[in-house]
Amino acid sequence: MSFVPSRFALSRRGFIGSAAVLSAAPMAARAASGETAAPVPVNPLVKQRADAQVFRHDDGYYYLTGSVPEYDRLVLRRSKTLAGLTTAEEAVLWRHEKSGPMSGFLWAPELHQIDGKWIMYFAAGPSGGGEDVFRIRTYAIVCDGADPMTGKWSVLGEFQAPWDSFNLDSTSFVHKGIRYFAWAQREPGIETNSNLYIAPLKTPLTLAAKPARLTVPTLDWEVRGYKVAEAPAVLHRNGRLFMTYSASATDARYCLGLLTADENADIMDPKSWTKSPRPVFKTCKETSVYGPGHNSFTVDEQGRDVLVYHGRDYEAIQGDPLFNPDRHTRVQRLYYAADGAPDFGVPVGNGPLPERFISVANPQALLAHDGTHLLGGNPTLAQTQFRQTPGRAGKESLMLSPILLPDHYLVAKKDGSVTLEKDSNSADFALRSQFVRLEDKAQGQLRFAAISTPGKALGLADGQIRLVRSRDAAAYWRAD
Ligand code: AHR
């Protein structure tokens, strides 16, 4: 790695006159209007935790549970920040039994507080080998106290499913004061691995009504390897209920589907739910995330929606993907299209979470790229997401890289143009790829000053991304 010649080593004097305060370490979260910054999560957030559920409880803590590779225990992590889950202590709440129906695989736990009690739902099967280990049913354990990390957990019982058949991946949510249960189950007479069902709950393990079958895997992207609709997760936003689910085999073909219902519809009527004809989230070779799925939803420290999911960072798997340990927990911002529907974009790949940069002077335009050409616009979400990585000209320097071209960086050329280039290991690249983030927290604005060209910053002017005078209106961006 080449370093910037000392004559260009960053000094505050180089930016004298800027009213903005130099940003905190580039890796600190971008806080708007003075909110306390939280560390920026780095993907993978938690290694080898599949089927992750992350939620921010009203105690202000984030909780994470998920399947462990051994499928032998139910675990829970807690952290004040989303990023803190990476290194948070992990408690083992319960281990599979020595024999009987819960002595084998433990899959996809979810933690819910129901009528003041902490209840963890999970799928479990017997041990002993053969096909019997896939005699998977849904169970729950319950905590005897207010703190799920330290309380004593015991078996509450088995979910009274409508059929005695393979069922798993349950979730629970409240809508219009009614608590619902959604889960995946194989229904006698339907030749699929699993379909999605919903019903109001009478008690934590019994239904208050006959379930509604919301979707059966029939589309080509739902039946690759196995005919699967599983892992429902519900988000209520913009007057609608959005229910994601996972489809196909758990290898690189695993992906997310989406059902949408109006918030005032009868959500027990399958006709109230519209299925997306295409997957909304799937493998992305450009960012090296394969088989993204089994998601949940949470919010970041600024209350912005976050998608939680698992995915591998390689495609080829030896043996049964179900026993490959590298489905890591990942998170990323969830954005919305103009019509209020979620825009899942692509899985953003390993590294610090990316951001989008909206031109203050022209808010319809974001920093974007088309291949190696930088532009001002809003082509697709993925083309507007850029990752900040530590720079090479002092601790406040940084480099900017698009998630779809993770080996390319913004480079400020001598003629004032800004391009996307691979690291050529030249002193010129090392100098011209270095920027400093100048945040004006009060205004919620920022600039990227070019270290190679004092007095100039990254700007959108006349439709072009280029260097402009650092105090020009074109130099100001809003991070989102
Ligand atoms: O990770 C174990 C199981 O694999 C999960 O319950 C399910 O979502 C997936 O098929």
Side-chain angles (χ1 to χ4, degrees), residues 244-421:
T244 48
Y245 64 95
S246 297
S248 286
T250 54
D251 54 24
R253 297 170 291 183
Y254 206 56
C255 59
L256 290 185
L258 180 67
L259 300 174
T260 301
D262 184 284
E263 66 182 359
N264 296 312
D266 170 8
I267 62 173
M268 285 297 290
D269 178 352
K271 294 194 294 301
S272 298
W273 295 88
T274 305
K275 182 194 287 196
S276 166
R278 282 169 296 284
V280 293
F281 198 60
K282 62 182 182 179
T283 284
C284 181
K285 293 184 185 297
E286 293 83 351
T287 61
S288 300
V289 178
Y290 298 89
H294 203 121
N295 79 286
S296 55
F297 296 104
T298 186
V299 293
D300 69 9
E301 291 83 356
Q302 299 175 57
R304 303 176 304 181
D305 286 334
V306 168
L307 176 69
V308 184
Y309 58 99
H310 73 226
R312 297 185 180 90
D313 42 28
Y314 56 82
E315 182 172 24
I317 295 167
Q318 307 304 324
D320 184 335
L322 204 50
F323 304 113
N324 168 286
D326 292 328
R327 292 180 293 171
H328 306 314
T329 299
R330 298 169 181 275
V331 293
Q332 63 189 60
R333 284 283 309 285
L334 182 67
Y335 294 94
Y336 291 87
D339 67 358
D343 181 349
F344 292 84
V346 302
V348 296
N350 291 355
L353 285 195
E355 295 170 282
R356 304 191 302 181
F357 300 104
I358 301 164
S359 164
V360 170
N362 174 6
Q364 302 308 310
L366 292 85
L367 176 64
H369 71 104
D370 180 4
T372 57
H373 170 64
L374 285 166
L375 59 98
N378 197 0
T380 64
L381 170 57
Q383 287 172 276
T384 65
Q385 291 177 292
F386 289 79
R387 173 171 289 125
Q388 232 181 251
T389 53
R392 306 171 188 172
K395 68 179 175 58
E396 287 160 340
S397 65
L398 61 91
M399 299 167 73
L400 285 167
S401 174
I403 65 165
L404 293 177
L405 288 172
D407 60 353
H408 282 63
Y409 298 87
L410 270 70
V411 176
K413 309 297 278 184
K414 207 174 280 184
D415 66 359
S417 64
V418 182
T419 63
L420 277 176
E421 296 178 10

